[in-house]
Amino acid sequence: MNTLLIADDEQLERQALRFIIENNCPDVRIIAETGDGKNAVAISTEEKPDIVLMDIRMPELNGLEAARAIRAVLPDTTIVMLTAFDEFNYAKEALSLGAAEYLLKPLRPKDLLQTLKTVTEKIEQRKRKEREEAELKKNLDQAMPFIKNSFIYDVISGKVTDLDNFRDRAGFLGIKADSGVILVANIDNFKQLTSRTSELEKQMVKQKVYQHVCEIAGKEMLVVPFGGDEIIIYIGYAGEASPEQVAQEVRDIAGRIRDDITQLGISVTIGIGRYYTDPLQIHKSYLEAVSAEQQKFYIGDNQIIHIDDVPHLSMISFRYPFNYERNLLDKVRCGERQQAKEILRQLLHEIFTAKASIETVKACVLELLIVLSRAAVEGGANLEQLTLLNFKCINHLTSCADREEVRQWILDSLDQFMDNMLENRSSMNVRLINKACTYITKNFHKSISLEEVAQTVHLSPYYFSRIFKAEKGCNFVEFLTKVRIDKAKQMLKNPDQTVVRVAAEAGYQDASYFCRVFRQEVGITPNQYRTRLKNSKAADTTV
């Protein structure tokens, strides 16, 4: 439905126009009529009609002046001028002022209706186009986050190869693109701060921080939330700028962002990459900004760090402290928790003071996690259970943002490994020692050693010796001696067996040495033991 205002100083003309329109134009609604130009302007300003039928000759303000005033505030309103034949020159002036059509008086209904049909069709076309544009804008607004993400992804991943296309995309987003620099802002300890909040509350915090960054950055910078808690700020320049001036400018911007967000009770660390004059190289600025931001691992939160502030990233050669690791693994295998944790702290101190990149540090402690779990399995931990623990631990490592988190992560992991090892060790030790005792019982007559028996149960001699004594209450040599002497006692019951034969069968090649051991264990010599057995048997027979 299109709205229409009639402006004519002759009442009969107005009535005639109303009659014709209301009876022949169902898609046109007359909202008002007036007899002077001043009121025509006032009504138009308030009601905003789609069409104004305007007589040129009117009191107060003539039609041309009224048309000019209406056009100034309502450029989309269609004005149709009504004029007598002898005022034709005025009609031409009206067209120059933006009037869509003019009609000569006296009006013929056919001409009026044809003009209104033409005018309403054009209005409908314009309105349809406006609706389409509004829908397109709505869709574009909804798609804008994806468009920004796509653009920034191509920039930081180094996929920019067509400069003209790159500049077109940047221009569409309203940013300059001849040169640029990238900043990366990250909410400090976000997961820990929001660990007890709902997902909705977490997203609201991120959105609040993002909005504050956008307010400080302004429309000429591209601000994109990217990758978890990371916010990328792309600052583009037209032409080339002074690197020193850019560095100072972006430091100031980063400072304002940090100070503004601090007012929310939230801290952020902002890494700043170098300024590049070639758009094809700007992805390097992103990598530098990420590396700079990650240095909060060493210097703490709520920092502004330019890549040029951390020259050690490319200068220091990292050396892993293997000497500490070997001692650590021995303590883990033996179940010495406190000593193991102390050595682990020393090892971590060596890693952290080397000031390697956070990726290097995490790679080192991840490898350390694996060798610790292997040592725990060797010490009695359940392999299947430790595999699950490793999976959980590795997932947690990715979220560690500073040294203290990594230190606590690996110490907690060690505690879990040791707990599992100690829980499973008791039953496993019984099985292993029983297996070792069976082997000793079957092979006591041979020249067997502690190392040989330890190997049969897949334990180090040192660890085997420890758990053997803990389980049996005596050491390996004492147990082997007891088995041999018990065998010798059985053989001495047979008077046909010589002491030399008994010694050999019991695993002693030297009969004299056997006699000394036997006397030490039993309190008497083998012959005395045999005589006692004989006398005891004779006494039983006499009775």
Side-chain angles (χ1 to χ4, degrees):
M1 179 68 72
N2 295 303
T3 57
L4 181 142
L5 167 67
I6 299 173
D8 195 307
D9 62 338
E10 296 182 17
Q11 185 176 0
L12 289 177
E13 287 288 344
R14 296 199 301 272
Q15 291 176 348
L17 290 170
R18 177 181 286 275
F19 180 82
I20 295 170
I21 294 170
E22 289 181 342
N23 285 279
N24 295 277
C25 302
D27 57 343
V28 175
R29 179 172 65 88
I30 299 172
I31 57 171
E33 57 180 74
T34 182
D36 65 78
K38 187 175 181 180
N39 278 335
V41 174
I43 294 171
S44 296
T45 302
E46 182 175 353
E47 299 293 338
K48 299 178 176 56
D50 296 310
I51 307 168
V52 177
L53 287 178
M54 179 87 71
D55 188 15
I56 287 181
R57 286 190 175 275
M58 287 190 297
E60 294 291 334
L61 204 65
N62 67 41
L64 295 178
E65 293 170 331
R68 184 182 292 110
I70 293 171
R71 177 64 61 196
V73 295
L74 300 171
D76 291 331
T77 293
T78 300
I79 301 175
V80 179
M81 303 303 297
L82 306 176
T83 179
F85 183 77
D86 58 354
E87 297 169 338
F88 185 69
N89 287 334
Y90 289 115
K92 290 193 294 183
E93 183 179 351
L95 292 175
S96 69
L97 291 174
E101 297 285 349
Y102 69 90
L103 292 170
L104 295 176
K105 291 183 176 182
L107 287 176
R108 293 188 298 174
K110 179 181 178 181
D111 294 338
L112 174 61
L113 296 176
Q114 182 58 48
T115 297
L116 289 177
K117 179 181 178 183
T118 302
V119 166
T120 54
E121 286 177 352
K122 291 180 178 179
I123 291 173
E124 285 302 322
Q125 289 177 0
R126 174 178 59 79
K127 287 184 175 180
R128 184 166 54 252
K129 184 178 180 181
E130 288 175 350
R131 287 193 298 269
E132 291 172 353
E133 290 176 349
E135 185 66 23
L136 180 61
K137 185 178 184 303
K138 178 183 176 182
N139 293 335
L140 188 60
D141 289 342
Q142 293 175 343
M144 190 57 70
F146 301 99
I147 296 172
K148 289 181 178 180
N149 269 282
S150 174
F151 176 79
I152 205 68
Y153 175 78
D154 286 349
V155 170
I156 65 176
S157 61
K159 291 186 176 181
V160 176
T161 56
D162 186 334
L163 287 181
D164 290 336
N165 176 262
F166 172 74
R167 291 190 174 102
D168 286 343
R169 293 172 68 186
F172 175 77
L173 294 171
I175 60 174
K176 300 166 185 175
D178 291 329
S179 57
V181 61
I182 288 180
L183 290 69
V184 171
N186 213 310
I187 303 173
D188 296 324
N189 304 310
F190 179 75
K191 290 188 177 179
Q192 289 76 10
L193 292 174
T194 59
S195 60
R196 298 184 179 180
T197 61
S198 66
E199 184 61 28
L200 175 61
E201 291 171 318
K202 292 177 184 178
Q203 296 303 324
M204 288 177 65
V205 171
K206 290 183 182 181
Q207 183 66 18
K208 187 181 295 184
V209 171
Y210 170 70
Q211 289 173 346
H212 277 255
V213 174
C214 290
E215 289 173 6
I216 299 297
K219 294 182 178 180
E220 294 186 354
M221 303 178 198
L222 181 60
V223 180
V224 179
F226 196 86
D229 311 328
E230 187 176 278
I231 297 175
I232 297 177
I233 306 161
Y234 175 92
I235 304 176
Y237 293 85
E240 293 187 15
S242 164
E244 294 78 12
Q245 181 180 350
V246 170
Q248 186 57 51
E249 179 180 320
V250 295
R251 284 179 188 270
D252 292 342
I253 293 170
R256 293 201 302 274
I257 290 172
R258 180 189 62 179
D259 295 344
D260 185 67
I261 292 174
T262 301
Q263 302 299 316
L264 301 174
I266 300 171
S267 74
V268 294
T269 295
I270 302 175
I272 304 173
R274 294 186 180 92
Y275 165 71
Y276 286 87
T277 57
D278 181 359
L280 299 179
Q281 302 296 316
I282 293 178
H283 68 281
K284 295 179 181 178
S285 185
Y286 168 74
L287 298 176
E288 293 164 352
V290 171
S291 295
E293 185 271 331
Q294 289 178 342
Q295 293 313 298
K296 69 179 181 181
F297 185 80
Y298 295 106
I299 62 179
D301 297 337
N302 208 31
Q303 302 289 332
I304 295 171
I305 311 169
H306 195 286
I307 187 63
D308 291 335
D309 299 335
V310 283
H312 64 268
L313 283 177
S314 58
M315 294 173 61
I316 291 181
S317 177
F318 175 70
R319 293 183 179 180
Y320 184 77
F322 285 103
N323 56 320
Y324 284 108
E325 182 183 285
R326 286 189 289 271
N327 292 334
L328 172 61
L329 299 183
D330 285 340
K331 297 300 181 184
V332 171
R333 292 188 190 99
C334 295
E336 298 176 358
R337 184 191 300 258
Q338 293 307 316
Q339 295 91 327
K341 293 178 78 170
E342 182 57 36
I343 296 173
L344 178 56
R345 290 189 181 94
Q346 294 173 358
L347 188 152
L348 293 174
H349 176 74
E350 292 293 321
I351 294 176
F352 294 152
T353 53
K355 291 189 175 180
S357 69
I358 188 172
E359 291 86 356
T360 300
V361 171
K362 287 188 175 182
C364 286
V365 295
L366 179 57
E367 184 175 351
L368 181 59
L369 176 81
I370 303 303
V371 296
L372 282 175
S373 66
R374 188 179 303 128
V377 170
E378 292 174 1
N382 182 286
L383 176 60
E384 184 177 347
Q385 293 173 356
L386 250 60
T387 301
L388 181 60
L389 280 176
N390 280 347
F391 180 74
K392 293 179 179 178
C393 291
I394 291 170
N395 284 342
H396 182 66
L397 175 62
T398 59
S399 65
C400 293
D402 57 38
R403 288 180 296 178
E404 288 308 312
E405 287 188 49
V406 172
R407 178 184 284 109
Q408 195 58 51
W409 170 82
I410 192 69
L411 286 169
D412 289 346
S413 298
L414 176 60
D415 271 331
Q416 293 181 67
F417 292 168
M418 298 292 285
D419 289 343
N420 185 276
M421 185 176 75
L422 295 176
E423 288 173 5
N424 288 276
R425 176 183 283 181
S426 180
S427 59
M428 186 188 76
N429 286 352
V430 170
R431 292 194 302 272
L432 291 178
I433 297 305
N434 286 341
K435 181 179 178 182
C437 290
T438 300
Y439 182 84
I440 293 170
T441 303
K442 289 181 178 179
N443 296 278
F444 69 90
H445 59 285
K446 301 177 182 177
S447 180
I448 59 175
S449 65
L450 181 145
E451 289 75 11
E452 177 185 340
V453 178
Q455 187 176 8
T456 64
V457 291
H458 309 290
L459 295 176
S460 70
Y462 174 72
Y463 181 62
F464 171 73
S465 178
R466 288 192 60 190
I467 65 172
F468 189 94
K469 187 168 186 178
E471 291 297 327
K472 304 304 292 185
C474 61
N475 62 34
F476 167 77
V477 173
E478 291 170 341
F479 182 83
L480 176 61
T481 299
K482 182 179 182 303
V483 172
R484 286 174 168 174
I485 296 302
D486 287 344
K487 178 63 176 178
K489 286 179 178 179
Q490 291 295 324
M491 295 181 67
L492 287 170
K493 292 178 181 179
N494 185 350
D496 297 331
Q497 297 280 3
T498 65
V499 171
V500 173
R501 178 70 181 273
V502 170
E505 291 291 333
Y508 295 99
Q509 301 304 315
D510 186 340
S512 298
Y513 177 69
F514 163 69
C515 291
R516 289 198 303 273
V517 172
F518 190 93
R519 184 169 185 173
Q520 182 178 352
E521 293 295 318
V522 182
I524 55 178
T525 65
N527 283 326
Q528 290 172 335
Y529 181 81
R530 173 174 281 172
T531 300
R532 181 177 292 180
L533 285 176
K534 183 179 179 181
N535 293 336
S536 175
K537 185 176 181 181
D540 291 340
T541 303
T542 303
V543 174

